[in-house]
């Protein structure tokens, strides 16, 4: 490096950290890298080849190798590791330096960490990073939040390495505090919901219609060329068409039906409850992952609690309905996620620009989809839009497809094939458009057994009745 100071430091050379470092170097920024496992650090140095990268033997050496004000990005496991590395870095940093946490940290931890480091004179940026290995290497979606001054130090690097849609980089300063990690959490929650909807669609075709994997894959391929166009629909077609070389069977048929998770979906559901902002499609997706783990119980129940999965009716019209139902439910899932972001922005004073959020999700990230450009336009036209369902375009699209969504949900009931995410999406739509819900009865019950009082529609004030 001939004594030249690096533009940025990276701590953690796992899959994401190493690929981000190489991406940064590809864009003519120099990188100082460190990994606690020296063997992995040496391996990365070989991978980097002639890239403008220096591998350091300690955090102190890394800090000394980065130009001031220093910017160091942590790509380590969320939780205790972030706290430990930040503490170890502190003695080697000066006032005005920047630490970026690029992991999937819980947003409340990020808030505490930012306040602590602010007291030390250090800027802390909680930055969601989405796109997996491929995105990290060739263009990712970045969701930074924290003090703007700290973000400005890393902005040129982030704008260079972000995925591009047209010429627009998929990164934007989102707001104060933990806004970046909150947005990334909701991104993952939407991801849970859409993945569950796609899985239910596949299940209805595979078990309900007894379609071959190749035919289902071909259908997803066709859908991906139309309004469904998205990364998740694209990879679903590829996954379903993949043949296991050893057995000659479809690989997806050989994969155990137990879905794991790392917690971001659960956090999204919990945040929805805390902020009184329902996200039932995401809740259903989380619950179904939990239920999938009960494999032994499900195997036993399948032998004792039988119901025939015999489809009756015309198949082609139903497949058309299923495609429209999937699109409608996907809109509703995004609506729930964006509504949660709006609620959090108000409660935590993030001051999120939801048009910007939709813009930076259009490329690089897992939930990237053609739909997001419409969402960006909707929030650009009406920044105060409380719910996407009230957007004229999305409202019209849902009204045009709601009968198909209803027919699909009804068919799943008759078939005995679980479709919790579809049902939750429809129920959310119906509840949102209901001028009156049966909550009046619930409030009367609460007053009956707990004297919790109620309000009336014909008089102002609060009331209690002696029901006995």
């Amino acid at each position: 490096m001939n004594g030249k100071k690096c533009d940025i430091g990276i701590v953690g050379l796992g899959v994401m950290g190493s690929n981000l470092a190489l991406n940064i170097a590809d864009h003519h920024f120099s990188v100082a890298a460190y990994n606690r496992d020296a063997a992995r650090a040496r391996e990365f140095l070989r991978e980097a080849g002639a890239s403008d990268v220096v591998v350091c033997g300690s955090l102190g050496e890394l800090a000394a190798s980065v130009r001031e004000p220093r910017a160091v990005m942590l790509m380590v496991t969320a939780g205790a590791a972030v706290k430990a590395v930040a503490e170890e870095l502190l003695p080697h940093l000066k006032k005005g330096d920047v630490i970026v946490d690029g992991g999937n940290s819980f947003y409340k931890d990020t808030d505490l960490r930012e306040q602590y480091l602010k007291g030390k004179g250090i800027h802390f940026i909680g930055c969601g990073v989405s796109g997996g290995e491929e995105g990290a290497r060739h263009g990712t979606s970045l969701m930074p939040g924290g003090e703007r001054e700290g973000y400005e130090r890393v902005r040129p690097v982030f704008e260079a390495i972000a995925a591009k849609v047209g010429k627009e980089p998929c990164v934007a300063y989102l707001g104060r505090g933990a806004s970046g990690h909150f947005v990334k959490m909701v991104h993952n929650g939407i991801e849970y919901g859409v993945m569950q909807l796609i899985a239910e669609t596949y299940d209805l075709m595979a078990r309900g219609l007894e379609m071959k994997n190749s035919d289902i894959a071909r259908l997803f391929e066709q859908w991906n060329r139309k309004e469904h166009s998205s990364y998740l629909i694209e990879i679903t077609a590829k996954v379903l068409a993949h043949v296991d070389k050893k057995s000659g069977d479809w690989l997806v048929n050989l994969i155990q039906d137990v879905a794991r998770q790392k917690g971001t979906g659960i956090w999204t559901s919990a945040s929805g409850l805390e902020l009184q902002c329902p996200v039932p499609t995401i809740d259903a997706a989380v619950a179904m992952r939990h239920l999938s783990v009960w494999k032994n119980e499900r195997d036993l129940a399948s032998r004792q609690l039988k119901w025939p999965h015999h489809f009756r009716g015309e198949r082609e019209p139903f497949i058309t309905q299923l495609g429209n139902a999937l699109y409608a439910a996907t809109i509703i899932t995004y609506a729930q996620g964006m509504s949660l972001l709006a609620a959090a922005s108000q409660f935590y004073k993030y001051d999120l620009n939801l048009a910007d959020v939709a813009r930076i999700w259009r490329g690089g990230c897992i939930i990237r989809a053609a739909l997001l450009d419409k969402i960006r336009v909707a929030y650009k036209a009406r920044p105060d839009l409380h719910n996407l369902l009230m957007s004229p375009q999305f409202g019209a699209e849902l009204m045009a497809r709601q009968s198909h969504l209803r027919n699909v949900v009804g068919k799943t009931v008759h078939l005995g094939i679980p479709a919790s995410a579809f049902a939750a999406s429809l129920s959310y739509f119906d509840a949102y458009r209901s001028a009156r819900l049966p909550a009046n009865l619930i409030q009367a019950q609460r007053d009956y057994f707990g004297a919790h009082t109620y309000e009336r529609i014909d008089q102002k004030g609060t009331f209690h009745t002696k029901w006995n």
Side-chain angles (χ1 to χ4, degrees), residues 107-108 110-112 114-115 118 124-127 143-151 172-183 341 344-353:
Y107 72 97
K108 291 185 178 180
T110 299
D111 264 328
L112 293 173
E114 191 212 15
Q115 290 304 310
K118 188 176 181 179
F124 186 73
I125 302 294
C127 182
M143 297 156 248
E147 290 184 278
R148 184 178 280 277
E149 185 182 344
Y151 171 67
Y173 171 73
L174 293 175
R176 64 185 291 278
S179 56
H181 277 149
F182 194 96
V183 169
L341 288 178
S345 182
Q346 183 175 8
F347 185 81
Y348 294 117
K349 296 181 171 57
Y350 290 152
D351 196 25
L352 292 174
N353 182 323

Side-chain angles (χ1 to χ4, degrees), residues 42-61:
R42 289 191 295 271
E43 183 184 357
F44 170 73
L45 193 56
R46 288 193 294 272
E47 293 169 3
S51 297
D52 199 357
V53 172
V54 58
V55 173
C56 304
S58 67
L59 288 175
E61 186 184 335

